[in-house]
Amino acid sequence: MSSRTAAETGFDAVDTRKVGAFLALAFGISWTSAAALYVAGVELQTIAGTVLVVALFMWTPAIAAILVQYRAGGSIRDGCGLRLGRPRWLAVGWLAPLALVAATIGVGALLPGVSITTDYAAFLLDLGLPQAQVEEAIAQLEAFPGPPALLFAVQGLGAGLTINALAALGEELGWRGLLLEELSPLGFWKVSGLTGAVWGLWHAPIILQGHNFPEAPIVGVFVMTAATVAVSPVYTYLTVRAESVLAAAFFHGSFNGLGALSVVYLAGAGNLVTAPVGIAGIGAALLATGACVAHDRVIAAEAVTGGEPLRPFL
């Protein structure tokens, strides 16, 4: 994680043509795919819609990164951080969403009108499941020898290390892979802010189609972007510390697997407030960013959040 020389810092050191080509491809392919889903009348809240979003939308940043890196004659492994890196930090990336989601529930419970609930049946009914399936699911939860939250956590972490990680890698190979490497001369905070803003706006077409915030899709675009900006420093920090994009993929995968727990356990408000990418999630992300900064300044042997250029994939 050594620094580049002072002469190489700032926007002048960024290959803007390469970054522009990557963003044009990532947005062009994904937004075209989202338009196709809309024209085809695909409901994104269904299982089929979710599968199509993963296949046609989530993997477009990776496809764009691979194409741009190939055209530039660079190594995918070196230019996108597709390497083992530091296993200890990969484990941190995998497990950290447990704390982030717990913090989301804690922050949410402090918001006006929001309370903690364990009414699993109400949540399942809100998802549109028929009464018979809800009763079957509740019976399975009651038969579990431990608390349901433990079962949810094990399932979420299992998915975060496997299928969810594979889906998340489609995004992360672009955002915390190629884009992080190319923007690294700007330093930790500028990289995180720009990546978070790009990442949030990239979601706009599927948010407008009801993904995450079906009750308020237009406002949802702004809330989603605020959430990605807030949590982006955490992704950057884990990736730089791990020296591998896999840390971001595991974090993203586990977060996707566990994030719905905030909606399960918080009642009294809609997704704009209680979702892991809602108001509660934004508050938790700011706390997580603070924890990263505290570790960087107090515990780590070498600081990376001071604004100096980054070298994420040594």
Side-chain angles (χ1 to χ4, degrees):
M1 285 172 281
S2 60
S3 299
R4 297 182 182 181
T5 64
E8 295 175 308
T9 61
F11 285 96
D12 290 342
V14 175
D15 187 343
T16 54
R17 293 185 64 180
K18 187 175 182 180
V19 171
F22 163 71
L23 293 177
L25 282 172
F27 276 74
I29 299 172
S30 58
W31 285 20
T32 300
S33 299
L37 293 175
Y38 176 77
V39 171
V42 175
E43 292 288 338
L44 300 190
Q45 290 74 35
T46 64
I47 294 177
T50 300
V51 171
L52 287 172
V53 166
V54 172
L56 299 178
F57 200 84
M58 285 187 69
W59 261 86
T60 55
I63 293 170
I66 292 169
L67 291 174
V68 168
Q69 194 68 1
Y70 176 78
R71 181 174 177 80
S75 165
I76 302 297
R77 178 181 181 275
D78 295 335
C80 298
L82 193 58
R83 56 200 301 175
L84 182 59
R86 303 168 69 189
R88 177 169 66 91
W89 280 97
L90 297 183
V92 172
W94 172 47
L95 296 173
L98 279 172
L100 182 59
V101 172
T104 300
I105 295 172
V107 170
L110 297 175
L111 298 175
V114 180
S115 60
I116 293 180
T117 180
T118 56
D119 190 349
Y120 303 112
F123 171 75
L124 294 173
L125 288 171
D126 286 343
L127 290 180
L129 295 180
Q131 184 66 38
Q133 290 187 23
V134 171
E135 292 175 357
E136 181 181 354
I138 295 301
Q140 291 175 351
L141 286 178
E142 292 175 347
F144 182 69
L150 176 60
L151 175 62
F152 298 148
V154 170
Q155 291 176 334
L157 289 175
L161 198 60
T162 53
I163 187 170
N164 279 14
L166 180 61
L169 184 62
E171 289 191 43
E172 297 308 331
L173 203 64
W175 309 138
R176 256 63 60 169
L178 184 137
L179 193 58
L180 171 56
E181 173 66 16
E182 293 302 320
L183 296 181
S184 60
L186 304 180
F188 181 87
W189 295 107
K190 289 180 181 178
V191 168
S192 299
L194 288 172
T195 303
V198 166
W199 184 27
L201 291 173
W202 172 80
H203 285 89
I206 58 173
I207 298 294
L208 292 173
Q209 291 182 57
H211 184 64
N212 285 337
F213 307 107
E215 76 280 10
I218 296 177
V219 177
V221 172
F222 295 96
V223 173
M224 181 70 179
T225 303
T228 55
V229 170
V231 79
S232 185
V234 180
Y235 278 84
T236 303
Y237 193 73
L238 291 171
T239 305
V240 172
R241 288 296 177 197
E243 299 174 8
S244 169
V245 73
L246 295 178
F250 291 151
F251 183 85
H252 197 157
S254 288
F255 183 69
N256 283 354
L258 297 166
L261 293 182
S262 68
V263 181
V264 172
Y265 287 108
L266 293 175
N271 282 12
L272 285 172
V273 175
T274 62
V277 288
I279 301 301
I282 292 170
L286 293 175
L287 292 175
T289 296
C292 291
V293 173
H295 177 273
D296 188 60
R297 305 293 174 85
V298 178
I299 299 175
E302 182 181 358
V304 299
T305 63
E308 68 279 358
L310 301 173
R311 290 301 301 270
F313 311 126
L314 295 178

